Amino acid sequence: MQALRLKQWHSEPELEEVAVPEPGPGEVLVQVGASGACHSDLHLMHEFEAGALPWGPPFTLGHENAGWVHTLGSGVRGLEPGQPVAVVGAWGCGTCRRCLDGLETYCERPDLAPVPGGGGGLGLDGGMAEFLLVPAARHVVALPEGLEPTDAAPLTDAGLTPYHAVRRSWPKLGPTATALVIGVGGLGHLCVQVLRATTAARVVAVDPRGSARDLALECGADLALAPGDDLVAEVREATQGVGVDVVLDMVGSDETLATGAACLRQLGDLTIVGLGGGTLPVSFFGVPYEASVQSTYWGNRRELVDVLDLGARGLLRSHTTLYTLADAARAYRDLATGTVSGRVVVVPNDGFRP
């Protein structure tokens, strides 16, 4: 089969022929219907050095995956060939306390995981191929009726990641609250939808691109603003001077983190989602009193079930641009240059379904 593989750090991925994997006991072979191209993959390709992560190339890219069950390994129950499914991206050990709580993104025994701190497309072969080998049936989630793999694949990360970040701040997102979303790209436009679907808060979005601000409004934002010298004053004016209750920074640069802190209300949450590499100095007078600053990573299986349900009900939908597997390398180049809006999705089997 064809697969898009990262052969080494600081390189472009290459399409090459590899063997179709065979599922062993407890494993599931998924025929890939769609695989999302994530901006974090660009960081993997161009910014990471050998030894920076506990795993490395070569591996097949693609950690946002959905398709159909193709073959079941011995001992697998509850799944059937041809069944449409999504794949949970983070593969932990399955036995530590965090994994037993369903938090495999925060596995505490990575030495016992299929790959330490990674998963399919992150150290192990992912879904930018015709088939994907999933090491345990618990990482496969049945798609709800009405949700196609091309719609489900980006929700497994670009939908799940903001859902997890928003969910942890639900107690602060009541009807009188305001949430600020910084960056309306692949994750940000879904973050706006998650806020609209699961909270009663007002939503303010910030992005330098006019097209992204238009997309934010289309997705349900109450107000879309451009960054600049007047931004903090505009946010303060929109919140009667008190600031926002929750900041969700989808960029994570020095500039966006400083902006988020300046817009935040006392007792508010500032959650860093983006991998922009910025830092935020935290001191007694550096952030509002009793503000909480945290980072999050992805989400868990239970939350993915919620996200897929929201997608099937039409409350959460990724704006996507589709590419064939033959054009997958170009898809990443387009993503890097910002010539696509929303999410990039690769369709490995050219739309074939069982």
Side-chain angles (χ1 to χ4, degrees), residues 105-123:
T105 45
Y106 305 138
C107 175
E108 294 181 320
R109 288 300 308 271
D111 56 307
L112 301 179
V115 60
L122 299 169

Side-chain angles (χ1 to χ4, degrees), residues 113-231:
V115 60
L122 299 169
L124 291 179
D125 289 340
M128 295 279 178
E130 297 171 57
F131 295 94
L132 167 63
L133 183 64
V134 182
R138 71 178 185 277
H139 301 312
V140 177
V141 177
L143 292 189
E145 186 175 351
L147 189 64
E148 293 294 323
T150 49
D151 296 320
L155 297 183
T156 62
D157 181 2
L160 178 59
T161 296
Y163 181 83
H164 177 79
V166 170
R167 186 174 182 267
R168 70 184 312 282
S169 291
W170 273 350
K172 298 182 181 180
L173 290 169
T176 62
T178 302
L180 177 66
V181 178
I182 302 178
V184 190
L187 270 69
H189 83 287
L190 285 161
C191 186
V192 171
Q193 294 178 59
V194 169
L195 286 162
R196 182 58 62 217
T198 67
T199 81
R202 291 184 293 273
V203 180
V204 178
V206 174
D207 199 286
R209 301 165 296 169
S211 60
R213 296 194 297 275
D214 291 341
L215 179 58
L217 294 172
E218 181 183 339
C219 290
D222 298 283
L223 182 64
L225 301 172
D229 294 340
D230 298 327
L231 174 60

